Amino acid sequence: QNMANLLKHVHGKGKAAAFLPNLQEALDAGEQGDIVSRSIICCQKGQLVQMPPPPQPTPPKPKTVAPGKDKKAAAQADPLRAAAFGSLALTVGVCCVLGLGEGVK
């Protein structure tokens, strides 16, 4: 599959016969040529082809704080209320399972 991807990348929209001329054109263009072609080909006409430097990664975007979400709102969460809702949900779930079991005889 990697070779098929290379073929698709280098010859573009041309037919199979356009592969070698396009590859040669990319190598002859030097630094302006295709980086993939220059990374794959290691020698041409008995001379080494310099591998291009890898492209520089894009810098990460600075994080922005979403409006309306601050640390005070998260700190004011009531653990007693969360525990009460959790126990209520568990009780309802167990009662539903018991109710399902009552129908089977």
Side-chain angles (χ1 to χ4, degrees):
Q1 184 177 6
N2 288 339
M3 288 304 291
N5 289 339
L6 173 67
L7 290 172
K8 287 178 187 176
H9 179 79
V10 172
H11 78 65
K13 295 188 180 209
K15 300 286 182 184
F19 173 72
L20 287 177
N22 286 347
L23 183 64
Q24 188 68 31
E25 185 179 310
L27 291 174
D28 289 341
E31 290 294 319
Q32 275 61 29
D34 185 29
I35 190 169
V36 174
S37 302
R38 292 185 296 132
S39 296
I40 300 288
I41 305 299
C42 59
C43 65
Q44 176 187 18
K45 298 178 185 173
Q47 296 179 358
L48 289 176
V49 175
Q50 284 286 50
M51 184 173 168
Q56 296 298 321
T58 57
K61 294 180 181 177
K63 295 184 178 180
T64 60
V65 177
K69 293 196 176 196
D70 50 2
K71 294 180 181 178
K72 286 186 178 182
Q76 291 178 353
D78 187 14
L80 177 64
R81 184 178 177 138
F85 280 126
S87 63
L88 179 66
L90 180 63
T91 303
V92 169
V94 168
C95 289
C96 288
V97 169
L98 285 174
L100 284 174
E102 283 294 318
V104 178
K105 289 189 182 187

